Amino acid sequence: MTTRRSFLRWSTLAVSLSPVRSLFALPKAAAVKPIVVSTWDSGLAVNAVAWKVLKPGGYALDAVEESAKSIEKEISCCVGLGGNPDREGHVTLDACIMNEKYDCGSVAGLERILHPISVARKVMETTPHVMLIGEGAQQFAVANGFKLEEDKLSADAEKSYKEWLKKSEYKPLMNIEQQQGKTPKRAAGGPFAPNQFEDGSFNHDTMGTVAMDAKGRLSGSCTTSGMAFKMRGRIGDSPIIGAGLYVDGEVGAATSSGQGEEVIRLGGTHLVVEFMRNGATPMEACKKAVERLVKINPKKAKDFQVGFIAINLQGEVGAYSVNKGFSYAVTKADDGGKVFMAESYYK
Ligand code: SD4
């Protein structure tokens, strides 16, 4: 039994040993930086754009904006105006951005604007608000010089929308390749997301990017056209700070992709960052957040996909998903980048 006296004896000893321990403590490994991590195989091409900013010493915030823009303008892809529409045929975009000082900006349900991520940054830098939606967001964009694009679906989106209209069934089985029974075009580094399938159809993808620059400043961005054939007005996790993206300059950054509703009710990326604050590595933090998600969804979790990626101030990387098939790209130290398959709760 520990008596008060023996406790005091041990604690005194521990205190007196601590300078000795710190004398022999291993020096902390230098942080890996700059570094950039993005969701999906298509994250590799996106990282390359961020790297052009990070390598010469640029700001992580500029890097994650530029990288998001590079995929938003990829009209044959599923982020940005080329993406699938809502069930009434409108493409509505969600995006947010955040830096290491808790500055953040977001737009949701934005139509006919090519770069929602840059509008989100404008909201962050020039307004007293964090989030603008729909018509107001579009008005703000136009007032700030963003061009109003034509109201038109991309050829791919038009094809899948017509196909979808035949049954009009909303069934987002995202990235669970086994269930879809289709082969993904997994062209690492290519412009296509892994859930564009050989037959040309695709489900939605979100580009989430987290980066740390050479000065150790963290930032993140998240951009998407949201779930294919969603209800008009539906907003997912991607533009919601703390759900689709969270950055804490003292801890780390995280972003997510997948079924937005599930991420929102978990407060997903904020949770990942809080796990890191309490000592978890990015990998452990992503895993713990996914475990929590499964715990609150014991019956449903097998049928939806959510994946988290995270980095911390040491430049350690983590990723974990509910179901198989969530990939992510890591670029650091001028290594050209690499795509990894995240571990998943259901194997
Ligand atoms: C959403 N999280 O709108 C987004 C969709 C997504 O891969 O991530 N797709 O809910």
Side-chain angles (χ1 to χ4, degrees), residues 140-155:
F140 170 78
V142 171
N144 280 280
F146 290 85
K147 187 176 153 224
L148 202 55
E149 305 288 337
E150 223 184 312
D151 195 3
K152 191 170 162 268
L153 295 183
S154 67

Side-chain angles (χ1 to χ4, degrees), residues 121-145:
R121 182 163 177 181
K122 264 265 171 319
V123 172
M124 162 178 143
E125 288 176 342
T126 68
T127 79
H129 307 304
V130 166
M131 190 169 193
L132 292 182
I133 64 161
E135 220 180 295
Q138 194 189 65
Q139 272 170 20
F140 170 78
V142 171
N144 280 280

